[in-house]
């Protein structure tokens, strides 16, 4: 089991969460968009939230601003989180507007607040698990979409809760975080999403 658990850290890596949330959004609204529109949108989100951050990481690694992909050092986490905040703001202003994608807009807005909270914690020498931040935010979003669209899917949310457990266990097995850091990540990721949930339910 210890060999299998790390897989969940890679599947639900925080860098993939924006694309996964966008995928679920279109999955729930599949009849409202053409496949070409969905593919183009997902590609755009992937470029902004995956490829650009990966390029930044390579630059930081080359300039020795970070020492590993885990970025365990608190100070080394600041630049990626600041950069991520600007990328989310860019998406909110240019692509994921309230008029076009209301539910997804609030998800990314919640993600922005979570990122800023995680950044703020670094200045008081506290670290949130970004994996738990991401998976918990995604879980609340899927839960909200299930209610909002009255899908009645009783299995999806429990599956996502199970995934939260797997991700948390994987971070412990990989010695990437303490239980306290996992709990902080859980709260930092889910609370902004729950707060914004009441604006679009």
């Amino acid at each position: 089991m210890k060999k299998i658990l790390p897989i969940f850290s890679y599947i639900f890596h925080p860098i993939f969460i924006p694309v996964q949330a966008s995928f679920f959004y279109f999955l729930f609204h599949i009849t409202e968009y053409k496949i070409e529109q969905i593919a183009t949108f997902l590609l755009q989100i992937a470029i902004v939230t995956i490829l650009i951050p990966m390029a930044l990481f390579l630059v930081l690694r080359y300039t020795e601003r970070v020492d590993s992909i885990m970025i365990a050092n608190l100070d080394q986490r600041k630049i990626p989180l600041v950069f991520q905040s600007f990328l989310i703001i860019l998406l909110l202003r240019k692509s994921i507007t309230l008029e076009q994608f209301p539910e997804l807009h609030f998800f990314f807005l919640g993600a922005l607040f979570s990122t800023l909270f995680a950044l703020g914690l670094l200045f008081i020498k506290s670290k949130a698990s970004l994996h738990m931040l991401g998976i918990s935010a995604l879980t609340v979003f899927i839960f909200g979409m299930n209610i909002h669209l009255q899908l009645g899917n009783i299995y999806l949310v429990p599956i996502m809760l199970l995934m939260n457990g797997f991700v948390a266990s994987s971070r412990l097995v990989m010695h990437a975080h303490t239980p306290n850091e996992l709990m902080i990540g859980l709260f930092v990721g889910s609370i902004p999403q729950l707060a914004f949930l009441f604006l679009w339910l």
Side-chain angles (χ1 to χ4, degrees):
M1 191 65 179
K2 287 185 177 181
K3 293 182 179 179
I4 296 174
L5 282 173
I7 295 173
F8 293 95
S9 279
Y10 299 115
I11 294 174
F12 294 104
H13 192 283
I15 205 171
F16 299 133
I17 296 296
V19 171
Q20 291 169 353
S22 301
F23 171 80
F24 277 107
Y25 173 83
F26 286 114
L27 183 65
F28 295 148
H29 290 280
I30 193 67
T31 59
E32 300 175 27
Y33 300 93
K34 295 179 180 179
I35 297 298
E36 295 80 8
Q37 290 176 301
I38 296 173
T40 301
F41 186 89
L42 290 178
L43 178 61
Q44 180 185 18
I45 299 300
I47 290 172
V48 175
T49 64
I50 298 176
L51 295 184
I52 294 178
M54 286 177 65
L56 172 68
F57 171 76
L58 292 175
V59 171
L60 293 175
R61 190 81 170 88
Y62 180 77
T63 57
E64 298 183 350
R65 295 292 184 91
V66 298
D67 51 22
S68 74
I69 197 167
M70 300 291 285
I71 315 183
N73 183 282
L74 296 184
D75 289 329
Q76 292 179 5
R77 288 184 160 219
K78 292 177 182 178
I79 293 177
L81 287 178
V82 169
F83 194 72
Q84 184 71 10
S85 298
F86 281 114
L87 290 177
I88 294 174
I89 292 171
L90 177 66
L91 287 172
L92 287 169
R93 289 178 60 86
K94 299 297 183 180
S95 300
I96 311 173
T97 61
L98 182 59
E99 295 75 22
Q100 287 183 298
F101 311 103
E103 301 100 328
L104 197 58
H105 178 86
F106 281 115
F107 170 79
F108 275 85
L109 192 58
L112 174 61
F113 275 84
S114 293
T115 304
L116 293 174
F117 284 143
L119 177 62
L121 287 172
L122 297 177
F123 289 94
I124 58 171
K125 304 300 180 184
S126 183
K127 182 170 68 171
S129 167
L130 299 182
H131 278 76
M132 286 308 298
L133 185 156
I135 187 67
S136 62
L138 181 62
T139 301
V140 174
F141 178 65
I142 291 174
F143 170 74
M145 290 289 289
N146 200 35
I147 295 175
H148 180 60
L149 299 175
Q150 298 181 341
L151 298 175
N153 191 325
I154 62 173
Y155 301 107
L156 192 54
V157 174
I159 288 173
M160 289 306 301
L161 290 174
L162 186 62
M163 292 302 104
N164 276 257
F166 283 146
V167 170
S169 299
S170 74
R171 303 313 287 163
L172 291 174
V173 165
M174 296 171 73
H175 304 290
H177 287 291
T178 65
N180 282 342
E181 290 168 353
L182 294 174
M183 290 300 297
I184 293 171
L186 175 68
F187 287 120
V188 170
S190 58
I191 290 176
Q193 294 295 330
L194 287 169
F196 285 116
L197 202 63
F198 294 101
L199 297 179
W200 59 269
L201 272 184

